[in-house]
Amino acid sequence: MGLTGGQTGTARSRERFLLGEPVEDGVRGPILNSWRRSRLLGLSPEQTELPYRDDFDPDSRLVRAAAPVLDQLQARFAGSLMNISLADGNGTVLQRRFGEPSLARTLPPIQTVPGFVFAERFAGTNGIGLALAERRLCQVYGAEHFAERSQASACAATPIRDQFSGHVVGVLCFGYPRGYEDPVLPALVHRAAEAIERRLMDQCSERERALLRTYLDARLLARAGGAEGDGHPIALDELTDGGLDRHDQMVLKEKATELICSTGRAAVEVSLHHGRDVTLVSRPLVSDSGVEGVVVEAVLPGDAPAHHLAATVHATSDLAVNLPPHPAPATGGPGPVRGLVLVGEPEVGKYAVAARRRLELLAEASARIGTTLDVGRTARELAETAVPRLADYVTVDLPEAVLRGEESPDPRADLRRAVVHGIRSDCPFLPVGAHVEPLPGTPHMRCLDGEPAVFEPDLSAATDWTAQNPEDAARILAHGVHSLICVPLLARGVLLGIASFYRSLDPSPFGEDDLRLARELVARAALSVDNARCFTREHTLALALQRSLMPRGLPEQGAVEVAHRYLPAESGVGGDWFDVIPLSGTRVALLVGDVVGHGLHAAATMGRLRMAARNFAELELAPDELLTHLDNLLVRLDREEGDEGAAGSGAIAGATCLYAIYDPTSQLCTMARAGHPPPALVDPDGGVTFPDLPAGPPLGLGGLPFETAEIHLPEHSTLVLYTDGLVDRRHRDIDTSMERLRGALAHPDRRPEDTCRAVIEAVAPAHPSDDIALLVARTRTVPADRIATWDLPADPARVSDIRAAATRRLAEWGLDELAFAAELMLSELATNAVRYGSEPVRVRLIHDRTLICEVSDGSNTAPHLRRAASTDEGGRGLFLVAQLSQAWGARYTPHGKVIWAECALDAA
């Protein structure tokens, strides 16, 4: 959706929100949460006044640190309508800068004068307030602002932190007209805030330099007192004859960082990878101005004896100011050689900041990566987490098989670009969906061949990479991309793809810490991708199974006009189902059900229940009897599966069901439900009701009765059956859903197909967490002039009168060609009812899609079709009925039974 379309939708959502209507879809989560907080604070969208403070410090540490950065930003946006604001941790604006200085004379004071407070509790949803509330980079566009005065503007804001404490001390905000949008702005405001944070940290250097001067003065004093032969410390990389390599230095600095966190004295021996032993010694240090700190030195024994550790600790005790120097240890050779590792706060602060940022990113990755069980979405979450805090661009390439939920036999053969994400929308990389063909020797192929990661700090010098596709490489380098890290996505021994991290805006190349961080991020993402792949495979199998068990198409019947919808859950296939079952006498059965749970087990159970329900329906059972049989079946299945496996491993938690039989000749609908939501009934005039049917227990409990209810449905009434996934949502009250359903159904002139579409659009969630089954049936009736009924006395001689009357009625209907077959069937059925049944006996003809002949009596004894022997005088009547009709059968009623037979209208 483009910016205009998105803003139009957001504006409508904002209007609905201000009117008190529920708003969930189409509004970003942070914005909606801010709207809700603004409403709870009692803010008005028309509010134009904000608190003003004149007691802020215009020359605070934050202002001094930000001033050069703001100057650079103002120069960068010179001549534009950009408004740059610096606010403190309470939302009070401290500085205002404009790309076009004349703007300050045209805008109201609230937008130009420092001192106004834009905290969310005063100004509602805005960039400064939202950044303080969310404690991260935020963007607010047009209608997302709570206040009317800001509807024409947009902004991007990010908090400014004290790098030592991690506390938010301010906010940097870019404000601009809504139509001015550049994808680089979020990255730019983020980097500008980082520059301010660095300058804040540099402001502490004066006190840190004081600590360093104190340390050097102490060394000179020690030299003058004879405690050491040399009062000048040497550089860390010159501590040994061959020097310390980068790895050794990193080991020492990391250990020194741990030591400097403690204010006490400590000495630790560190073994380096070349077999060298170095002792790190930390001592408290207090400057003349009272600044407290810690100094950490690396000490090599030189020619000192084996007890150099204790001697070294003693020798460094004179580093504490105001303490007298101690004499040097009595040794036969030169004393220990020392090198300064850390003193005070500078180095420790920088490493602590880097470590904290890495930990914060890893913690964020744990929360952001793997929020869904979708392979593509999980890969994109990896990219979104890494940009821009680790890389400027990230691409993820996955085999097609992995996207389908399978393992790829050869990832190099079917690799596809799954994600391209970066600080700019015009990424200079292959687009999503493109086929990726890495060549031998390239970083990507090296990852596919088994390397745990490939690190190219200077892409322009990576000839193997540039040779893969010179044109693409030239285009990428032209965009300023200069450094690359490639990491394979490996999980449980399965190669799932490759993640590539690129830098462009940050001039410094990737380092070893970045490589380790990238590998950790990808390792976490790979597990989530593999989980999503396994889920995709199971979901595909379950969905295929479920669709194979659902109705392939609606059967032919004339009682109702039917439409349906089935929406599987995004997180897993469930056990919802529906069915339409034609019954005798033009009746039809409508059924919806819901098996508790998700996955293959729920889908298989649904199939069992649906097939059983169809079989029970064929027996012409009443709704309450059918539900009783399903309940018993589910109890047996639960018992059998509980016996086969471990307790509870495959137990069926239960199911709900609603079963209805509609008779178009009487316009009566008989229903029963087992713990299922009640149906919706739409009258021909548009009234919507939810009949209060006896609820009944869910299926699977066993031994509890079900009740039926009978409702008269006028012609063109609409009966709506659904599962709870349509109306029961975690973040929405069910009464609200029912009212939405009522509103969507209050249109009696709609066809069932249109009603289905309207209900799904108005009520169903955009991303359903549970299956949804919806069945809409608009009732029809059989005209009275197409039904003929006769009462038959218990006299076989009167059967001929019925035959004659039936022949005349068939002639009126224009069915003379069926008269012979109908006479024979009625004669046999009526004679059997008179001879073997009991009164009252009634004959009925129905002219519908077929010609239906029914004979009812008060007996519960049903006839059985048998093959008569050649010597039998009778027993051939039902055989003739079966031969002359396309279907026949018997059904029981509260007052007896009905024997029926159907003839196709073209049977003659």
Side-chain angles (χ1 to χ4, degrees), residues 745-760:
L745 294 176
H747 299 274
D749 54 336
R750 282 184 180 150
R751 296 174 54 252
E753 184 65 28
D754 298 331
T755 299
C756 277
R757 185 181 303 109
V759 168
I760 293 299

Side-chain angles (χ1 to χ4, degrees), residues 4 47 197 219 243 264 346 404 424 513 517 520 554 732 903:
T4 302
Q47 181 177 346
E197 291 171 350
R219 294 298 299 257
R404 296 193 302 267
R424 296 177 61 93
D513 290 341
L517 179 58
E520 180 65 25
L554 296 179
R732 187 170 71 196
C903 282

Side-chain angles (χ1 to χ4, degrees), residues 662-669 710 712-713 781-782 787 844:
Y662 173 66
D663 187 347
T665 63
S666 62
Q667 300 180 358
L668 292 178
C669 183
E710 196 172 72
H712 180 264
L713 299 182
T781 59
V782 178
I787 303 174
R844 186 169 71 159

Side-chain angles (χ1 to χ4, degrees), residues 627-882:
L627 292 181
T628 299
H629 283 287
L630 290 180
D631 183 42
N632 294 334
L633 172 65
L634 203 55
V635 170
R636 289 195 300 273
L637 291 176
D638 196 12
R639 186 181 303 117
E640 292 171 0
E641 297 191 7
D643 293 340
E644 291 176 359
S649 60
I652 301 172
T656 65
C657 185
L658 173 60
Y659 185 72
I661 298 177
Y662 173 66
D663 187 347
T665 63
S666 62
Q667 300 180 358
L668 292 178
C669 183
T670 306
M671 293 181 279
R673 63 185 178 124
H676 202 82
L681 177 60
V682 185
D683 297 333
D685 59 359
V688 181
T689 59
F690 299 95
D692 187 17
L693 305 180
L699 300 177
L701 298 181
L704 299 177
F706 300 95
E707 300 180 57
T708 61
E710 196 172 72
I711 300 176
H712 180 264
L713 299 182
E715 186 176 13
H716 303 314
S717 298
T718 301
L719 186 64
V720 181
L721 284 66
Y722 51 91
T723 55
D724 60 358
L726 179 68
V727 295
D728 190 5
R729 295 178 61 181
R730 180 180 303 174
H731 303 295
R732 187 170 71 196
D733 187 75
I734 191 170
D735 292 335
T736 302
S737 298
M738 298 301 285
E739 286 304 313
R740 287 192 178 186
L741 179 60
R742 186 191 301 274
L745 294 176
H747 299 274
D749 54 336
R750 282 184 180 150
R751 296 174 54 252
E753 184 65 28
D754 298 331
T755 299
C756 277
R757 185 181 303 109
V759 168
I760 293 299
E761 292 177 354
V763 187
H767 305 284
S769 59
D770 193 9
D771 286 18
I772 297 175
L774 175 65
L775 190 62
V776 178
R778 190 176 187 182
T779 63
R780 297 168 176 164
T781 59
V782 178
D785 59 358
R786 292 206 169 198
I787 303 174
T789 306
W790 301 276
D791 292 326
L792 178 62
D795 182 1
R798 300 295 298 275
V799 174
S800 60
D801 297 337
I802 297 298
R803 290 199 303 267
T807 301
R808 290 192 297 272
R809 182 55 63 94
L810 291 175
E812 295 175 4
W813 290 343
L815 303 178
D816 301 86
E817 295 180 352
L818 294 177
F820 177 73
E823 277 190 88
L824 282 178
M825 289 190 298
L826 283 176
S827 178
E828 291 297 333
L829 297 178
T831 300
N832 284 340
V834 171
R835 287 181 177 179
Y836 307 110
S838 60
E839 294 185 302
V841 179
R842 178 168 293 178
V843 177
R844 186 169 71 159
L845 288 180
I846 303 175
H847 179 198
D848 193 49
R849 294 168 48 255
T850 60
L851 176 64
I852 303 172
C853 304
E854 294 183 347
V855 177
S856 62
D857 66 83
S859 170
N860 288 326
T861 303
H864 297 282
L865 179 66
R866 65 184 180 88
R867 181 177 295 277
S870 59
T871 57
D872 291 342
E873 295 183 1
R876 297 176 178 82
L878 286 181
F879 180 76
L880 289 175
V881 172

